[in-house]
Amino acid sequence: MSAITLREVSKVWGTVRALDDATFTTREGQLLVLLGPSGCGKSTTLRLIAGLDSASSGQIEILGRDVTNLPPAARNVSMVFQSYALFPHLSVAENIIFGLKVRHVPASERAARLKRAADMLGLAALLDRKPSQLSGGQQQRVALGRAIVAQTPVCLMDEPLSNLDAQLRAEMRREIRALQQRLGITMAYVTHDQVEAMTMADQVILMKDGRIEQDGAPAALYERPATIFTARFVGTPPMNVIPADAIAAAGSADPLQGAPAGSSLMLGVRPEHVRLVESGGVPASVTATEYLGADTLVQTRVGSSEMMARLPGRIDLAPGAAVRLDWQPGSRHWFDAVSGLRVE
Ligand SMILES: Nc1ncnc2c1ncn2[C@@H]1O[C@H](COP(=O)(O)OP(=O)(O)O)[C@@H](O)[C@H]1O
Ligand SMILES: [Mg+2]
């Protein structure tokens, strides 16, 4: 069954269309990531699903039920906010079961759910502490605990890891994913971090300016980006997208062979698919290199366009060095420069 469905949903604030005609659906048990740059409408979408804001138009369904006009409490979803929103004067235990108390869940049931969540999240020894006595990661787990004890089949999370350092973030993202799968819940998870999206999601909805840019599995967004925006948003460093003319002008037609017809064609090649060759390929000049340990990023110039190569190991190339770049025909992506859309 579909867990969350939006049909032509818009949210207008004055003159801003925070969400513009969004239609999507996610199945039960999926981890859906809403991805996109700041201000693209991710939080708005989540708040509309939770019922914290109401849609200007369109319809929202949760588990087959039309919830468009229902208040948050009647929607049976839990939500974890970016700020955690913990009560500073309450202990960890009290914070976790606060919502259950409000809903008059009996004390014995509250205790049982608290124990289960605390064990699962490694918080059992911290239940008497106040939030100020916890690290960022521990506070984050308390916020998660609160969502878990609610035992709702749908959980919404708005950038829950953005306050954590990189290592803890990587750890927590694995924990959240494991938890979501163990509990079999549907999760809608907001982030601007494409790595988070790629590593956690079953389904990614990439947004831009209130509109859905692409909706698909992480691999689909990486392997077959529908637009230049998706191509450059997903993957690090971003895909090289340069005018096909620039390649031709650089003195080699080879890397363009079999290109679709069209006058304003852009060629996309991921840095990890570019390699250096002795002959053939595209002549380029090195502008900078960055050694990352496992790989080296080689920034080059092809005519007036920049082109990045991500090469395995350590590559010593001085700025100004002449190189030749090549790629497999199958790793090319074509886009229309005007519409930004993928061309087959
Ligand atoms: N309460 C509000 N009043 C007016 N504008 C808002 C409000 N909430 C969000 N917006 C605007 O809607 C757009 C989308 O915001 P938001 O959904 O918070 O983006 P994101 O979460 O992707 O960063 C932004 O332009 C933002 O300024
Ligand atoms: Mg937001």
Side-chain angles (χ1 to χ4, degrees), residues 42-43 82 158-159 190:
K42 306 180 295 296
S43 295
Q82 180 170 354
D158 194 352
E159 311 226 21
V190 161

Side-chain angles (χ1 to χ4, degrees), residues 89-110:
H89 58 290
L90 296 184
S91 68
V92 166
E94 290 163 331
N95 262 288
I96 293 177
I97 59 165
F98 182 82
L100 302 184
K101 269 188 165 166
V102 171
R103 273 177 283 133
H104 306 296
V105 173
S108 59
E109 173 71 18
R110 289 203 303 261

Side-chain angles (χ1 to χ4, degrees), residues 4 6 9 11 13 42-55 60-62 65-79 81 154 156:
I4 304 170
L6 268 67
V9 174
K11 178 66 186 179
W13 299 106
K42 306 180 295 296
S43 295
T44 299
T45 306
L46 215 60
R47 293 175 60 82
L48 291 175
I49 297 169
L52 299 172
D53 289 321
S54 57
I60 302 174
E61 268 178 27
I62 296 176
R65 198 163 59 117
D66 185 343
V67 300
T68 315
N69 297 310
L70 294 184
R75 295 192 182 197
N76 204 17
V77 300
S78 53
M79 184 150 171
F81 297 91
V154 174
L156 311 175

